[in-house]
Amino acid sequence: MLSAKYFDGRSSRPQAVTLSVLNHCLLVRGDELECLVSADEIALSERLGAAPRTLRLPDGSFCEIADPAALEPLLRQLGHTDSWVDRAQRSWAYAGVALLLFIASCAAAYVWGLPWAAQQTAQRLPSEVLEILSAQTLEFLDDHLLETSQLDLPRQRELQAGFDALIKPQGALPYRILFRAGGALGANALALPDGRIVLLDELVKLADNDEQIHAVLGHELGHVYHRHGLRMLVQSTLVGAVSTWWFGDTSALLVAAPTVLLNAQYSRQLESEADAYGAALLRANQLTTARLGEMLKKLMEAHGMGSSGKSGGQRRWLDYLASHPAPQERIQALMGPAVAHPPPSEAAP
Amino acid sequence: MLPESDAAPSPPAPENLQFTGQGGDYFRIWIVNLLLSILTLGIYSAWAKVRRMQYFYRNTQLAGASFDYHGDPIAILKGRFIAIGLLLAYNWSPQVSMQLFGITLLLLLAIMPWLLRQSFRFRLHNSSYRGLRFRFSGPLGTAYKVFLLHGFFALITLYIAAPLFHQRLKKYQHNHSHYGQSAFSFDARVSQFYGAYAMVIVLFVGMMISIIGAGAYAGYQAAKLAKEGGVPADPTAVMGVMVVVIGAFFVGMLLITPLWQSRLQNLIWNNTRLGEHRFRSEMAAWPLLGIYLSNFLLVLLTLGFYKPWADVRLARYRASTITLLPASDLDQFVAAQEQAMSATGEEAAEFFDFDIGL
């Protein structure tokens, strides 16, 4: 026999009752009521820690049992078995396993799951979407950051034709080179999702020869080929959403750091992919991958990221925040093959 | 002369709200549900949410009985899909065009009052105490007036009208809430809200001035040093200053928030009644700050896994600050008419669960 509080669902007055089991039926007895309810007509609330449990009767009334542990023997007699989730939620062993599996799942989702899903989504979106996204970005750039190119038209056509003539690994891609003056952006090149590649005058001037410019264009074409713009959009949105959900209740500050670090890692991976495509393009045209390395070195120096003045520890820190892999690593990855395959004689542009 | 009738019986003793949950218990429930949620790519999260609400409701005791939560996971799931759709539209429309973003923003503003009213209805309808359900009856028109008129007004006056907005919001929420056949009422005036906000605003402005001032000074010094040395300003130093400024802002908010929350909770609940019964709220800023700070540090140290204990600690303190001052016997509440019908769920199906945390 177990004491409980009975509420009839029509008023807030509790009635003291006792519960017992009779032939697989629940017997509820109090001063003003006595009823027998068969086990399958009772709605039992889940066991949640030491919280009170309710036994809901068909007419809308219910019994509240303050101590769920005391209810267990009665439930056995009624023939009730707990769901597996119920049992898992009570066990430290299950909780420990759940914790490990959860961490493993999160890591797997970050490393494989999300990049794969983003890649599949990006590959399947129609080209109209790419155009819309690109138009928006280009408009912003032209309105606020870039100016008309100072290169004369024959030079522009020369560069375009020179790049058009190169074999593209993995087949042809729609692309177009747009020439601009970089202003505050300095020596740079950037790829828009729909294949338009913006090439800045300062980068053209910085290069020793056209092969280096083609190397950079190849890297940018790699971004187009892999649809990195879209991939990063999908990946960073999800990273932001998950960080907010995980830490948001505690502090907005805690959300910022993981979001930045996780997005930076994704960004570095995409840059490495673009480097690989650029290197493949150079090799497909019998050019040395060192060209891309050389150009990276020049860009590094032009943007004041030379190796002088920074201690090793400081560099490590910034590497984690950087959206691009550390220049030294990229140059090494690209110059490496140059040692194995000696450069052919340089063709005049 | 007839003997004088007895003086009115003394009202029942004050009843303190109590939270009886334990961090260890809740951790086990939380982690199992978390794993199931990630394995089902988030679908199970609706069931996890129901469990969470039930854990916190059922462990909240008042006058010998506990609360209960009846939300349907499917309704919550539907609401979550819609919320995700809105979030994606908000995040991705600027990528397509600023015009689309503008349209999306206007649409979101247009349906926000409706969504929030729905969330009040869902939350209250699915909450019960001693077998009687709560209810929200606020008209849709008033929701629009409060959010679009007062909310917008608060924005354009750079939040000077924010206390006014807050008072109108709480008035709307509490004046249209019911327990069984009894109604809640709210009688705090706008001036009292301004009083509660005053200290918070002073501290906030002071914090902003000191942080921005210090940051600007540090930046200026760095630039000056660089110029004198003939070296271009080190970008690391600038970034470092920015990180410190932003960090100081969040720390400042962490310190000011408990003050704001305690003053507002006290004001709101000290001026809320259920029928003739009153409430008393005695939340204090310092204990709350202690809980927030220790929770923050422990969550940081454990990369978030301390959260179940953190939530339980906060719930325990919050409950302990609220007391019901009954004017009469608590057994006298009566169910509202529509509760006599069994909850078929067709009414519930149109509700969305949308947590705004106000």
Side-chain angles (χ1 to χ4, degrees):
Chain A
M1 280 228 306
L2 181 64
S3 12
K5 286 199 175 110
Y6 173 84
F7 295 97
D8 62 9
R10 288 189 298 278
S11 93
S12 61
R13 185 173 66 92
Q15 295 177 48
V17 297
T18 56
L19 305 174
S20 49
V21 177
L22 202 62
N23 299 332
H24 290 287
C25 288
L26 181 72
L27 179 63
V28 183
R29 288 174 92 166
D31 289 341
E32 294 161 43
L33 84 140
E34 179 166 321
C35 62
L36 199 62
V37 187
S38 72
D40 50 358
E41 283 189 303
I42 302 170
L44 173 67
S45 73
E46 237 181 37
R47 176 155 172 181
L48 291 171
R53 281 180 97 166
T54 58
L55 285 165
R56 208 161 286 274
L57 306 179
D59 63 355
S61 61
F62 69 97
C63 301
E64 190 174 292
I65 296 99
D67 179 12
L71 186 58
E72 292 294 309
L74 198 133
L75 293 177
R76 299 283 155 267
Q77 286 181 289
L78 280 172
H80 170 84
T81 46
D82 294 321
S83 73
W84 64 274
V85 179
D86 214 318
R87 275 176 280 138
Q89 284 172 170
R90 277 187 246 177
S91 146
W92 278 108
Y94 270 105
V97 170
L99 179 63
L100 292 170
L101 283 177
F102 175 71
I103 294 175
S105 308
C106 286
Y110 175 74
V111 173
W112 297 297
L114 183 53
W116 178 84
Q119 195 180 41
Q120 296 299 310
T121 313
Q123 299 294 350
R124 275 163 184 62
L125 284 174
S127 51
E128 287 78 20
V129 177
L130 302 176
E131 273 164 38
I132 295 172
L133 291 177
S134 309
Q136 173 75 352
T137 312
L138 187 60
E139 201 181 296
F140 175 80
L141 288 170
D142 280 341
D143 285 345
H144 299 277
L145 289 169
L146 304 177
E147 282 134 22
T148 335
S149 173
Q150 302 300 309
L151 290 179
D152 53 40
L153 282 176
R155 179 66 178 130
Q156 287 185 16
R157 282 196 216 109
E158 189 185 23
L159 284 170
Q160 174 93 51
F163 191 64
D164 286 347
L166 295 178
I167 302 167
K168 312 292 182 298
Q170 333 273 2
L173 277 190
Y175 70 89
R176 194 157 52 104
I177 304 179
L178 302 176
F179 295 88
R180 297 281 187 279
L185 290 182
N188 227 319
L190 37 126
L192 298 172
D194 67 351
R196 282 179 277 189
I197 300 175
V198 179
L199 182 60
L200 302 181
D201 294 348
E202 288 82 344
L203 190 145
V204 175
K205 279 200 226 27
L206 192 62
D208 296 325
N209 52 55
D210 281 8
E211 279 172 12
Q212 287 176 347
I213 300 174
H214 293 159
V216 170
L217 289 173
H219 168 102
E220 296 304 325
L221 197 62
H223 284 311
V224 176
Y225 173 75
H226 289 291
R227 299 203 169 180
H228 284 164
L230 282 174
R231 268 187 65 178
M232 200 57 203
L233 192 59
V234 172
Q235 288 173 218
S236 63
T237 304
L238 239 85
V239 165
V242 171
S243 296
T244 306
W245 161 73
W246 185 248
F247 279 122
D249 286 345
T250 312
S251 161
L253 176 61
L254 290 183
V255 171
T259 308
V260 167
L261 290 173
L262 294 173
N263 276 334
Q265 169 62 13
Y266 274 158
S267 174
R268 287 196 294 274
Q269 270 172 354
L270 299 185
E271 290 299 327
S272 293
E273 261 183 40
D275 275 348
Y277 183 92
L281 183 140
L282 290 169
R283 278 196 293 271
N285 291 282
Q286 314 304 321
L287 298 167
T288 168
T289 55
R291 296 282 167 260
L292 186 53
E294 287 160 17
M295 199 61 212
L296 281 177
K297 220 164 162 198
K298 294 167 89 65
L299 286 167
M300 218 174 81
E301 276 147 23
H303 286 271
M305 280 155 47
S307 45
S308 61
K310 286 207 179 74
S311 65
Q314 217 177 3
R315 285 286 302 282
R316 283 277 149 266
W317 240 130
L318 291 178
D319 284 353
Y320 282 110
L321 294 171
S323 60
H324 288 57
Q328 312 292 23
E329 283 165 32
R330 296 172 76 188
I331 293 169
Q332 203 160 4
L334 292 160
M335 305 284 234
V339 175
H341 311 284
S345 59
E346 298 187 13
Chain B
M1 287 265 285
L2 288 169
E4 283 201 33
S5 56
D6 288 350
S10 52
E15 297 281 358
N16 207 316
L17 205 62
Q18 275 179 325
F19 183 73
T20 55
Q22 297 293 321
D25 284 352
Y26 183 53
F27 171 74
R28 281 173 275 176
I29 297 170
W30 176 80
I31 190 66
V32 167
N33 280 273
L34 205 56
L35 176 66
L36 289 170
S37 295
I38 196 177
L39 290 179
T40 57
L41 297 178
I43 307 273
Y44 199 78
S45 68
W47 281 260
K49 166 112 194 214
V50 169
R51 281 213 181 88
R52 178 198 164 88
M53 300 296 282
Q54 284 173 343
Y55 184 79
F56 281 86
Y57 270 53
R58 290 180 190 158
N59 275 307
T60 305
Q61 312 250 338
L62 178 66
S66 58
F67 292 79
D68 203 354
Y69 181 74
H70 308 269
D72 172 29
I74 303 285
I76 290 177
L77 192 60
K78 284 188 208 165
R80 288 195 161 186
F81 276 124
I82 302 211
I84 289 175
L86 295 175
L87 200 69
L88 285 178
Y90 177 74
N91 271 320
W92 287 356
S93 53
Q95 303 287 338
V96 176
S97 83
M98 279 333 232
Q99 287 88 340
L100 186 64
F101 179 58
I103 294 174
T104 308
L105 209 56
L106 282 174
L107 266 169
L108 281 175
L109 282 175
I111 64 171
M112 194 61 68
W114 177 77
L115 276 176
L116 288 165
R117 172 179 172 264
Q118 286 298 85
S119 81
F120 290 159
R121 289 183 65 188
F122 186 87
R123 186 77 185 263
L124 285 189
H125 172 88
N126 286 306
S127 304
S128 71
Y129 172 69
R130 296 191 181 198
L132 269 50
R133 297 264 181 135
F134 291 83
R135 196 168 53 92
F136 183 73
S137 63
L140 187 58
T142 318
Y144 273 92
K145 193 172 120 197
V146 171
F147 285 99
L148 290 186
L149 184 64
H150 293 289
F152 188 62
F153 188 53
L155 255 162
I156 57 175
T157 56
L158 297 178
Y159 289 108
I160 295 177
L164 167 65
F165 170 57
H166 203 174
Q167 190 264 359
R168 290 287 190 262
L169 174 62
K170 282 304 168 188
K171 193 168 117 176
Y172 175 64
Q173 226 180 334
H174 288 207
N175 269 341
H176 294 111
S177 296
H178 307 261
Y179 172 64
Q181 282 186 4
S182 309
F184 283 88
S185 60
F186 183 73
D187 53 25
R189 294 182 310 280
V190 178
S191 55
Q192 289 174 286
F193 269 79
Y194 273 97
Y197 267 90
M199 171 109 120
V200 175
I201 291 177
V202 165
L203 281 175
F204 180 75
V205 170
M207 173 189 86
M208 291 300 278
I209 291 179
S210 355
I211 290 178
I212 294 179
Y217 180 73
Y220 168 70
Q221 286 297 331
K224 204 166 93 157
L225 276 168
K227 213 162 168 196
E228 284 164 6
V231 172
D234 189 2
T236 334
V238 174
M239 205 164 72
V241 168
M242 271 191 60
V243 167
V244 171
V245 164
I246 294 177
F249 172 75
F250 279 110
V251 168
M253 291 306 287
L254 195 60
L255 298 176
I256 294 183
T257 303
L259 179 69
W260 175 68
Q261 285 187 345
S262 56
R263 290 181 75 117
L264 267 303
Q265 181 185 292
N266 291 346
L267 173 65
I268 290 166
W269 284 97
N270 283 334
N271 290 290
T272 299
R273 275 184 296 174
L274 172 59
E276 289 306 310
H277 310 285
R278 301 203 70 100
F279 293 91
R280 184 173 69 212
S281 168
E282 293 161 308
M283 189 177 258
W286 284 115
L288 191 60
L289 174 62
I291 292 175
Y292 276 150
L293 268 178
S294 47
N295 279 352
F296 175 82
L297 288 169
L298 287 163
V299 165
L300 180 63
L301 277 171
T302 59
L303 297 178
F305 288 99
Y306 183 72
K307 193 143 188 313
W309 284 271
D311 288 348
V312 162
R313 285 179 78 205
L314 192 57
R316 191 177 297 134
Y317 177 66
R318 279 216 172 110
S320 71
T321 62
I322 297 188
T323 310
L324 175 69
L325 304 171
S328 59
D329 193 351
L330 288 177
D331 292 351
Q332 302 304 319
F333 289 103
V334 175
Q337 299 299 11
E338 54 263 35
Q339 192 177 321
M341 301 186 294
S342 60
T344 54
E346 49 205 47
E347 211 199 344
E350 67 169 356
F351 294 161
F352 296 131
D353 181 39
F354 208 90
D355 223 326
I356 54 167
L358 271 173

